[in-house]
Amino acid sequence: MKKWQSIVILTVLAILIVLGSVFGFVSLDKGELGTKNYFAYITNISLGLDLSGGVYAVYGVDESKLTDEQKDKLDTLIEGTRASLESLLFSKGYTEAQITVSQNKIRVEIPDEDDPDRIFNLIGRPSSFEFKEYVDGAAGDLSLNDPNGKVKLDSKFTGNDVSNAGVTYDEQTGYWQVALSFTSKGTEKFSTATSALTGSKLSIWINDEFVIAPNVNEAISTGSATISGNYTYDQAYDLAVRIQSGSFPLVLKLEESNSLTATLGSSAIKAGLISGIVGLVLICIYLIAMYRFMGIAASLSLWFYSLTYLFFLSIFPWVQLTLSGIAGVLLSIGMAVDANVIIFERIKEEYRNGKTMRTAVTTGFKRSLGAILDGNITTIIGALVLIIVGASTIKSFGITLLIGIILSLISSLVLMRVVLRCILVFNDESKAKRFALKRAEEEVEEEIDEDQDQDISSVEKNMKNIDKGGVLR
């Protein structure tokens, strides 16, 4: 690498760090910008109930909709409904939503929500859902197992056959559409229905009310489908949530709703941010004191890593930061520092054994790769397990940890290596001490010098204690 290339890389990195710090932590109002308000991207990080408060709703079972069979296994159906609600909210980005069951009632707490009316309008009406054969207007629709219709199914096509409903953007039309995916049984039913109804319509009913009747263009057997139309995002999102809420085993009714206050508040957020910055500064000071120029390279990569980490937390829809999520952030930063220390110690060992600085750096990275990957990959597996099977509060820890570990690997193994090579360009072999590098014989000489200093100090001490009198014979 040439000197001018190193200067360009280090300059660009410094500019990115400065810009990241400004845009990450400084908000500007309309008067300062002259156009519109700008909010620091860390303010876009979604917060959990303990940090920002939110809204809650209590649902009861609509007993008028219960069959005798459902009454006999009500506890099981309520638990199934709770799990479906949790899955629905998680898929819509509310990863920290807390759902509890007590006395046949389901309580839903949703953090960091500034528009509770919209949430209540969407999930506040869990519903029954069914596909029907469109005959002649909504009133004449037939169930897909009706003997008078074109479609013959063994059982009704209900919301239980839909595994997920989401929103996608159609670039060709410029409108939003609803994307559906089905269970294995639902895929078979949908394939049979669309094969029989190709060229006609398939209607959707929610809570026994007609909603929409999209045209069936072809037989669909892939397990996924889209409902397109002139939908805005809110319209498509509303329809997707209503369809997915129809997969609940029970029909629920909203009994109570209100707002929740944060248990910690904004002061805790500010204190946590300040302590995090102070901790990162102390870590950088320690690295520079121990490893000198290598510590400077690590500090630059750590600052860039931290700013990038905050940016990803602000844009990922699955992140809702709580105390457990903050623990995941701190753990991932700690593992990033640990990776740097492992690399530096390998480099020092290689140089001690006679290699040149540049060869020691290259070999040190290679030798430390296995240990770093082993530790981080096992942590990634653990984070994935927490995300998949953990409760809502544990998912936040798993998500922040997963994002942090992946970014720390890139920071330690790629960015820090590039920065260190850029700094090496300006230093020859005679400047090894700037990188805290020593040969084996130098360390031996230093140990001998230390032992001699200790011996001299011991002699001087004994001389001070010697009797100043004595007898001359």
Side-chain angles (χ1 to χ4, degrees):
M1 185 181 294
K2 299 179 179 179
K3 286 187 177 182
W4 70 267
Q5 292 175 321
S6 300
I7 293 173
V8 170
I9 292 174
L10 292 175
T11 302
V12 170
L13 180 62
I15 292 173
L16 289 176
I17 291 175
V18 172
L19 291 178
S21 301
V22 172
F23 288 112
F25 298 99
V26 179
S27 296
L28 300 173
D29 60 29
K30 185 175 181 179
E32 293 171 311
L33 284 177
T35 53
K36 58 182 180 179
N37 294 337
Y38 170 77
F39 299 97
Y41 62 72
I42 64 167
T43 61
N44 295 325
I45 299 177
S46 184
L47 303 177
L49 284 168
D50 50 359
L51 296 176
S52 68
V55 295
Y56 79 91
V58 178
Y59 298 102
V61 178
D62 189 348
E63 297 183 0
S64 63
K65 304 286 186 179
L66 292 177
T67 63
D68 292 337
E69 182 181 358
Q70 288 177 320
K71 291 178 181 178
D72 294 335
K73 53 179 182 179
L74 184 59
D75 291 342
T76 303
L77 293 174
I78 289 176
E79 179 57 30
T81 303
R82 185 205 65 78
S84 297
L85 264 172
E86 187 175 76
S87 175
L88 168 64
L89 292 171
F90 186 85
S91 67
K92 303 310 176 189
Y94 299 100
T95 56
E96 281 299 312
Q98 298 180 14
I99 305 173
T100 55
V101 176
S102 177
Q103 298 178 347
N104 293 342
K105 296 184 184 297
I106 299 177
R107 180 185 174 94
V108 181
E109 297 178 350
I110 303 174
D112 198 24
E113 179 53 53
D114 56 2
D115 188 6
D117 290 337
R118 182 166 184 260
I119 293 297
F120 294 146
N121 287 336
L122 292 176
I123 72 163
R125 50 172 187 255
S127 52
S128 61
F129 165 84
E130 185 182 358
F131 276 128
K132 291 186 179 183
E133 177 183 341
Y134 187 84
V135 181
D136 185 17
D141 287 3
L142 299 173
S143 295
L144 296 183
N145 58 348
D146 194 305
N148 298 319
K150 297 179 182 179
V151 186
K152 302 297 187 296
L153 298 179
D154 294 334
S155 59
K156 291 196 302 182
F157 196 119
T158 67
N160 293 323
D161 297 307
V162 179
S163 61
N164 190 42
V167 177
T168 59
Y169 183 73
D170 187 348
E171 294 183 355
Q172 294 182 348
T173 63
Y175 292 102
W176 294 88
Q177 57 189 11
V178 179
L180 304 177
S181 58
F182 305 102
T183 63
S184 56
K185 290 183 179 180
T187 299
E188 295 178 6
K189 293 179 182 180
F190 199 70
S191 177
T192 301
T194 53
S195 296
L197 297 174
T198 300
S200 57
K201 295 182 178 182
L202 184 69
S203 64
I204 298 176
W205 291 68
I206 296 177
N207 282 345
D208 297 325
E209 294 181 359
F210 172 77
V211 176
I212 189 175
N215 291 312
V216 180
N217 293 332
E218 59 184 354
I220 301 174
S221 57
T222 59
S224 60
T226 57
I227 302 174
S228 58
N230 299 335
Y231 299 134
T232 64
Y233 175 83
D234 289 339
Q235 290 171 335
Y237 182 85
D238 184 19
L239 181 57
V241 173
R242 293 184 68 188
I243 289 174
Q244 191 165 351
S245 68
S247 63
F248 299 159
L250 295 173
V251 177
L252 304 178
K253 56 183 179 180
L254 182 64
E255 295 187 351
E256 181 185 352
S257 64
N258 210 331
S259 300
L260 290 168
T261 57
T263 56
L264 296 178
S266 58
S267 59
I269 301 173
K270 184 180 294 185
L273 185 61
I274 293 174
S275 61
I277 294 174
V278 171
L280 194 60
V281 169
L282 292 177
I283 289 173
C284 292
I285 292 173
Y286 172 80
L287 289 174
I288 294 172
M290 289 293 296
Y291 301 104
R292 302 180 188 177
F293 276 25
M294 289 195 295
I296 292 175
S299 299
L300 289 173
S301 62
L302 276 175
W303 275 105
F304 186 81
Y305 158 75
S306 301
L307 294 171
T308 306
Y309 195 1
L310 291 174
F311 176 73
F312 274 89
L313 292 179
S314 70
I315 64 173
F316 274 22
W318 310 283
V319 174
Q320 283 192 313
L321 205 59
T322 62
L323 283 179
S324 59
I326 292 174
V329 172
L330 297 177
L331 179 58
S332 60
I333 292 176
M335 293 193 69
V337 175
D338 181 62
N340 290 334
V341 171
I342 292 174
I343 293 170
F344 294 158
E345 290 300 324
R346 291 287 188 273
I347 293 173
K348 291 175 68 175
E349 182 180 342
E350 294 299 320
Y351 185 81
R352 187 184 303 118
N353 293 334
K355 290 185 173 65
T356 63
M357 280 201 301
R358 286 168 177 76
T359 305
V361 169
T362 302
T363 308
F365 272 95
K366 288 181 179 178
R367 289 193 58 193
S368 59
L369 181 63
I372 294 172
L373 287 179
D374 287 345
N376 284 272
I377 289 175
T378 53
T379 306
I380 288 174
I381 294 173
L384 289 173
V385 171
L386 293 177
I387 294 171
I388 295 171
V389 302
S392 58
T393 53
I394 301 299
K395 289 181 189 292
S396 176
F397 174 80
I399 291 171
T400 55
L401 180 60
L402 178 62
I403 297 172
I405 292 298
I406 293 174
L407 291 178
S408 72
L409 282 174
I410 297 173
S411 171
S412 301
L413 299 178
V414 180
L415 179 61
M416 204 264 289
R417 186 172 187 172
V418 172
V419 174
L420 189 54
R421 283 186 170 180
C422 289
I423 296 176
L424 279 173
V425 170
F426 301 95
N427 296 272
D428 54 29
E429 292 295 323
S430 63
K431 308 293 177 55
K433 289 186 178 181
R434 293 182 178 181
F435 296 83
L437 299 177
K438 298 176 183 177
R439 299 294 188 190
E441 56 270 19
E442 292 177 340
E443 292 185 351
V444 172
E445 290 176 359
E446 288 184 359
E447 290 178 0
I448 292 174
D449 290 341
E450 288 179 0
D451 291 340
Q452 290 177 344
D453 290 341
Q454 290 178 358
D455 292 340
I456 293 172
S457 176
S458 178
V459 170
E460 290 177 347
K461 184 177 180 180
N462 291 332
M463 289 297 294
K464 289 180 180 178
N465 295 330
I466 198 168
D467 188 358
K468 297 298 190 292
V471 178
L472 178 63
R473 296 184 185 273

